[in-house]
């Protein structure tokens, strides 16, 4: 008996908040003995249920089978990939397969979102924003700064009917970071604690006290603590107001440790930028002493902290890495490759850069700009630059195009950003959506496909 299937690939898509599609079809036809029977079993390579698939319905008519694969509704915006194994057998137990079986079918499921705005002005000024790609939640830290602030973490979650918010009080909150595998959220505080937060319950499940102290680098830097993929949470250490060390908390062993060699120039620092997969860490030692010490970096391939080879010194914000660390946007001004070769500079908009972010694949740099004068009616604009070229081939990044954001994430003021905070920008890991958070709104803005550099 010979079985033949009509496809080896499936493509599915739906918008977050809308019902999942009814399903896609795989057909199979068996040829051979007229007296034989046909049974079809569907599994995965591991034998475990696929978290992205709701069900596979099988209908058999004679020696033909029709399988309908239905994706799971309510998934976070992302591109999900997987493989289903179709087995055609003469008996329901499928101990024996017909020729042509088992048959692997790969799928791609794309979940996108529509434009959304959530008023966050009641929470005040955010410091750090992180996106949980597994659950689709956005987290923001709201530390107390200059006697103002909730000293709490806010979680923004899609409920199926709209975005909702909740808060978790962390007395003396410094900063937050999400583990590279999205397994836990960590928060540091003024009691020298690392608080590990369960993402399902949004509650502190464990707290660990550092004997050497956990320092605060203020609320102007964008990332004050950062996870690498080995489970280490990197942070400023010590009890001095200004002179700090560079240390870590290890999730695997629940212990604290220090960098080797120690950071001797960490004055009012360090602060960080990290690749999406946690494989490369960028470290600013200080932006407050002269001469400024060089920026450091670390690759998890060998775990060694090195000085960057081209004399880069510091960044506060507007800095990001591609998912694998092969592209690096520094300070909203220049994109470098993994070896610190210059990919190109970012032409600066007339209104100034309010936020900037590199795409997960490193092929695009997104720059948000808008006028800061109160009452200026022109909406925020996102400029999209091509950052995919090889280093050393161009001076400026080419402009791919622009699109507008209907609303302002942060307030406008003549003394920007002293009275209005520079908004934070992130991208969802699929590269399809911008997340903007200021002291006014959380904005989720789909990126036009023609500008994203992603395959249509």
């Amino acid at each position: 008996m010979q079985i033949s299937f009509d496809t080896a690939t499936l493509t599915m898509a739906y918008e977050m908040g809308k019902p999942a599609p009814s399903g896609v079809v795989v057909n199979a036809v068996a040829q051979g003995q007229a007296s034989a029977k046909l049974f079809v079993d569907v599994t995965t390579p591991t034998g475990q249920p696929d978290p992205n698939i709701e069900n596979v319905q099988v209908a058999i008519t004679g020696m033909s089978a029709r399988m309908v694969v239905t994706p799971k509704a309510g998934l976070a915006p992302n591109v999900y990939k997987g493989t289903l194994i179709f087995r055609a057998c003469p008996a329901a137990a499928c101990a024996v397969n017909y020729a042509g079986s088992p048959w692997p079918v790969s799928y791609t499921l794309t979940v996108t979102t529509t434009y959304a705005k959530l008023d966050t002005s009641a929470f005040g000024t955010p410091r750090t924003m992180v996106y949980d790609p597994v659950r689709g939640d956005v987290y923001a830290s709201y530390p107390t700064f200059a006697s103002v602030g909730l000293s709490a973490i806010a979680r923004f979650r899609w409920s199926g009917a709209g975005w909702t918010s909740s808060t978790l009080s962390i007395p003396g909150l410094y900063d937050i970071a999400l583990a590279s595998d999205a397994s836990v959220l960590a928060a540091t505080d003024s009691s020298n604690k690392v608080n590990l937060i369960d993402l399902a319950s949004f509650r502190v499940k464990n707290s660990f006290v550092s004997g050497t102290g956990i320092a605060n680098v203020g609320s102007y830097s964008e990332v004050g603590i950062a996870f690498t993929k080995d489970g280490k949470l990197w942070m400023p250490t010590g009890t001095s107001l200004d002179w700090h060390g560079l240390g870590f908390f290890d999730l695997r062993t629940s212990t604290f440790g220090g960098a080797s060699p120690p950071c001797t120039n960490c004055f009012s620092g360090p602060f960080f930028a990290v690749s999406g997969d946690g494989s490369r860490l960028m470290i600013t030692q200080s932006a407050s002493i002269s001469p400024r010490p060089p920026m450091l970096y670390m690759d998890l391939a060998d775990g060694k902290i090195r000085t960057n080879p081209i004399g880069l010194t510091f960044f506060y914000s507007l800095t990001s890495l591609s998912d694998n660390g092969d592209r690096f946007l520094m300070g909203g001004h220049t994109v470098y490759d993994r070896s610190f070769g210059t990919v190109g500079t970012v032409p600066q908009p007339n209104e100034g850069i309010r936020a900037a972010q590199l795409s997960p694949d490193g092929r695009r740099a997104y720059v948000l700009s808008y006028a800061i004068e109160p009452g200026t009616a022109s909406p925020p604009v996102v400029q999209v630059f091509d950052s995919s070229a090889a280093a050393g081939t161009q001076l400026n990044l080419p402009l791919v195009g622009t699109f507008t954001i209907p609303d302002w994430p942060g307030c406008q003021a003549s003394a920007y950003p002293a009275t209005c905070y520079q908004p934070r920008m992130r991208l969802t890991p699929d590269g399809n959506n911008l997340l903007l958070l200021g002291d006014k709104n959380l904005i989720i803005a789909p990126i036009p496909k023609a500008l994203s550099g992603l395959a249509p």
Side-chain angles (χ1 to χ4, degrees), residues 26 113 154 156 198 200 230 241 274 284 295 321 346 364 400 413 416-417:
V26 178
T113 186
F156 307 105
D198 178 75
D230 58 355
L241 180 62
V274 65
T284 289
M295 188 190 74
L321 286 80
V346 177
R364 294 290 185 265
V400 178
Y416 196 95

Side-chain angles (χ1 to χ4, degrees), residues 221-238:
S221 60
E222 191 165 350
V223 178
I225 58 176
F227 271 109
T228 44
K229 69 177 181 180
D230 58 355
K232 290 181 178 178
L233 176 68
W234 293 87
M235 66 188 73
T237 61

